[in-house]
Amino acid sequence: MSWTNNDKTKAVKTKESEKGKYALRKEAMLKRIKETQENNKSFLCLGIWGEPKSAKSAIALDLLTEEDIKNDMKVLVFDFDNRAIDVKRNHYGNVENLVVYNPIVREDGSLVDFDETMNNARAFYQMALEYLEEGKLKAVIVDGADKLLTDVCETYMRNKHGLDADTVMKAAPYVWGDRNTPYKNFLHKQILEMPCHRIVIAHSKDKYAGNPNPIGVEANWHSSTEDIFTSTVRTSRDIRKNGATFTAMVEASARKPEMIGKRLKVLTIEDGKVDWNGFPEIKAGEL
């Protein structure tokens, strides 16, 4: 008799425990669903790519407004490309609200020190989290996702498997996972999941698609990175006598699909006169 009662009591407690666990999990799930919906609605998750020196960094850094500066908001830039620092110096008066840092450390012979570089990148990421906790982080920008992928993380892969420039292209598919995994772990699972504006910048590269000659160009980030963005913009420049025109074209936008295919002249130079128009929707965080 007592054994039966004990079994029934255990069954009731187990059922109550399961209900309690479900209630807690449901609460956590609903909270995460709400946060994800708010993040997708409120924050940019933007990829900008294009040819060198086509105003990619300038468009991204223009996200910082005068109002942000008054409110002591910060934009942190992982400057893997070592380009954003020049834009900050030359066009933003070295304003302290743009916190620009290149985490790359090189060994003798100019090879990347992978461990030190990633330790620096993670420390800068922790710094971003601190600003976020204080309510002072407006955005994180990764300038040079292609450098993170093909220089930093590919160096790790080459060192691990003893590959050089000639043998790397013949590496087995599983070997490339040692390049892609640290890249994705840092960029996809940490930076791009932050609840703030996120912008990733990369150069273009030739696209071959199995052909010996290039058939076009594409962004030089990992192909899976673009799946995460809610919007993408491609930049280009047209240099002519006495001037140049810099153009940004919207390739994708979940928030404003009506802008897909739209081209904006972000910068024009004519007879020495520089006219910066920027990209109003990106500056407003609404693309």
Side-chain angles (χ1 to χ4, degrees):
M1 189 71 171
S2 60
W3 282 103
T4 305
N5 287 339
N6 285 339
D7 289 343
K8 287 182 179 179
T9 302
K10 286 180 181 178
V12 170
K13 287 183 177 179
T14 299
K15 198 168 184 179
E16 289 177 349
S17 177
E18 288 175 353
K19 285 183 178 180
K21 288 179 181 178
Y22 168 70
L24 290 172
R25 187 173 295 277
K26 180 181 177 182
E27 183 181 355
M29 282 168 36
L30 291 174
K31 181 181 178 182
R32 185 171 181 181
I33 289 169
K34 184 177 180 181
E35 288 175 351
T36 302
Q37 289 172 339
E38 288 300 314
N39 288 351
N40 289 341
K41 179 180 179 181
S42 304
F43 300 125
L44 291 171
C45 187
L46 168 66
I48 302 175
W49 71 282
E51 60 189 275
K53 295 178 175 57
S54 55
K56 299 183 297 295
S57 300
I59 292 170
L61 268 60
D62 202 34
L63 185 69
L64 184 74
T65 66
E66 291 297 327
E67 187 67 21
D68 293 327
I69 294 172
K70 290 178 183 177
N71 293 328
D72 196 31
M73 298 297 290
K74 309 291 185 183
V75 172
L76 268 64
V77 185
F78 293 80
D79 194 15
F80 288 100
D81 198 40
N82 214 30
R83 180 72 183 103
I85 189 63
D86 293 328
V87 177
K88 174 184 174 178
R89 288 192 194 114
N90 298 329
H91 303 292
Y92 293 92
N94 253 341
V95 61
E96 293 182 358
N97 302 73
L98 286 173
V99 186
V100 179
Y101 176 63
N102 181 356
I104 293 179
V105 176
R106 296 193 181 275
E107 301 173 339
D108 294 339
S110 78
L111 290 176
V112 170
D113 186 324
F114 175 80
D115 289 332
E116 281 301 300
T117 295
M118 292 310 297
N119 285 338
N120 286 343
R122 293 186 192 100
F124 197 53
Y125 167 70
Q126 289 298 324
M127 193 166 144
L129 292 179
E130 289 176 2
Y131 282 124
L132 186 65
E133 184 69 23
E134 295 167 3
K136 293 297 183 181
L137 182 67
K138 181 172 186 180
V140 289
I141 298 172
V142 176
D143 196 346
D146 47 328
K147 187 70 69 71
L148 171 63
L149 178 65
T150 63
D151 194 1
V152 177
C153 295
E154 192 164 311
T155 295
Y156 170 74
M157 178 192 78
R158 290 189 184 195
N159 289 342
K160 181 176 179 179
H161 296 277
L163 302 172
D164 57 26
D166 294 324
T167 58
V168 68
M169 298 309 297
K170 300 176 183 178
Y174 77 88
V175 173
W176 290 96
D178 286 319
R179 178 196 71 165
N180 300 336
T181 298
Y183 166 89
K184 293 179 183 179
N185 284 345
F186 181 70
L187 183 61
H188 293 190
K189 297 180 181 179
Q190 292 186 295
I191 301 300
L192 291 178
E193 290 193 2
M194 296 182 71
C196 62
H197 294 301
R198 297 139 293 163
I199 301 178
V200 177
I201 303 170
H203 288 98
S204 58
K205 67 174 181 178
D206 289 334
K207 183 177 181 179
Y208 290 92
N211 295 287
N213 299 312
I215 60 172
V217 294
E218 60 185 348
N220 199 14
W221 46 54
H222 192 273
S223 58
S224 62
T225 303
E226 194 158 331
D227 296 337
I228 301 173
F229 301 138
T230 56
S231 53
T232 54
V233 167
R234 179 181 175 183
T235 61
S236 59
R237 62 175 181 166
D238 176 26
I239 299 177
R240 58 193 183 282
K241 185 179 180 180
N242 298 326
T245 301
F246 297 74
T247 303
M249 181 187 71
V250 180
E251 290 190 319
S253 177
R255 188 172 185 179
K256 290 198 171 184
E258 68 273 13
M259 290 195 66
I260 295 174
K262 184 174 182 179
R263 289 171 168 80
L264 288 84
K265 291 182 179 179
V266 296
L267 172 64
T268 55
I269 303 171
E270 191 74 33
D271 295 323
K273 181 184 176 183
V274 178
D275 188 10
W276 172 257
N277 300 311
F279 201 123
E281 286 79 8
I282 294 177
K283 191 175 183 69
E286 296 177 351
L287 183 64

